[in-house]
Amino acid sequence: MFDIDGTLTASNDLDDLAFVRTVHDIFGIKDISEDWTTYTHVTDACILREICEQQLGRSPNSEEIALFQKQLLQRLAQGAVREGGVFPIAGADALLEQLQASPDYQFCYAGGAWTASVQFKLQSAELPFADIPHAFADDHDSREGICQIALDRAQTTYQQIFTHVIYVGDGIWDVRASKNLGYPFIGIATGEDAQRLKAEGAPVVLPHYEDLQAFWDALVAIAP
Ligand SMILES: [Mg+2]
């Protein structure tokens, strides 16, 4: 089960900037906390709701959320053009191909962004989207809830009951959700971000997927 931003696509900075600018575009709100750990859940839906509650004293209505999603997508597309596209984390395309071909593993997506923006980012990065079971911020406020829905959909799509689920993510909120769900965790991060994941209890942190064997070794090593 893969998170998206920072895990499969190198899109954290693009995503953060587009989100902050869209909050200003739609609500005229500046100066929001970009320390995402200060929000109850690190998902687009929850972050937007809490920003509106703090700054406007109310939740966004469904029209505002729809408008926000549309504007966010435009901001992401503009940012992607500036940067020459959304890039996959190195080796992610080869890894997903190997997983698709594997008789022992299946994969799905569970991320904190909204579906429309995830679709844009994965397609821009030339990673598979359409056939892969997924759940995102449209489906639940919390990452744990998103992961559980993704698992349900994966079981339906693949017609299997999965007793061993491994979550792959890049944020400390990903490590925490994995712990809450009892899923072993593989971190994808470098430098200080990698140190933070380890400090949060991530047993394995890889910089990317260029060394595919390292990822497969990690899968086997941490599977219960
Ligand atoms: Mg992420």
Side-chain angles (χ1 to χ4, degrees):
M1 186 178 292
F2 288 88
D3 168 60
I4 306 297
D5 292 289
T7 300
L8 290 175
T9 56
S11 52
N12 278 337
D13 293 345
L14 171 73
D15 204 58
D16 291 356
L17 184 65
F19 193 92
V20 169
R21 288 192 171 163
T22 304
V23 170
H24 185 249
D25 293 339
I26 303 296
F27 296 99
I29 298 170
K30 286 185 199 168
D31 302 326
I32 64 163
S33 170
E34 288 184 60
D35 175 1
W36 308 120
T37 60
T38 59
Y39 299 91
T40 306
H41 303 294
V42 185
T43 63
D44 283 0
C46 182
I47 292 169
L48 180 64
R49 201 190 62 245
E50 292 190 346
I51 288 169
C52 287
E53 283 170 355
Q54 286 158 15
Q55 307 246 5
L56 307 174
R58 63 173 180 86
S59 299
N61 62 41
S62 55
E63 280 170 20
E64 287 169 329
I65 293 170
L67 205 60
F68 190 97
Q69 291 178 345
K70 204 171 153 205
Q71 177 69 5
L72 179 62
L73 199 54
Q74 278 188 9
R75 285 282 189 190
L76 286 170
Q78 287 164 359
V81 166
R82 258 196 323 271
E83 293 176 17
V86 177
F87 297 97
I89 298 292
D93 45 352
L95 173 67
L96 295 184
E97 265 175 40
Q98 286 193 355
L99 284 170
Q100 273 178 317
S102 159
D104 300 318
Y105 292 89
Q106 305 283 11
F107 72 93
C108 65
Y109 300 138
W114 280 301
T115 308
S117 43
V118 173
Q119 182 173 1
F120 168 76
K121 286 177 275 195
L122 287 175
Q123 287 178 340
S124 182
E126 298 185 6
L127 295 174
F129 174 76
D131 303 333
I132 309 304
H134 57 256
F136 299 116
D138 316 65
D139 297 300
H140 202 277
D141 232 31
S142 76
R143 189 165 297 263
E144 287 83 348
I146 290 169
C147 289
Q148 280 165 333
I149 294 168
L151 176 59
D152 285 345
R153 290 178 182 164
Q155 294 189 144
T156 304
T157 301
Y158 297 121
Q159 293 288 297
Q160 291 180 42
I161 299 297
F162 295 105
T163 50
H164 297 166
V165 180
I166 294 160
Y167 194 56
V168 186
D170 70 305
I172 58 171
W173 43 86
D174 297 325
V175 187
R176 289 172 186 166
S178 294
K179 264 189 228 161
N180 291 339
L181 292 161
Y183 299 166
F185 180 81
I186 296 177
I188 302 297
T190 55
E192 282 180 13
D193 292 334
Q195 292 310 318
R196 269 193 285 273
L197 294 186
K198 284 181 185 159
E200 196 67 33
V204 184
V205 181
L206 303 172
H208 42 60
Y209 312 98
E210 272 181 0
D211 182 353
L212 284 174
Q213 193 55 49
F215 187 88
W216 286 103
D217 290 347
L219 273 186
V220 172
I222 69 167

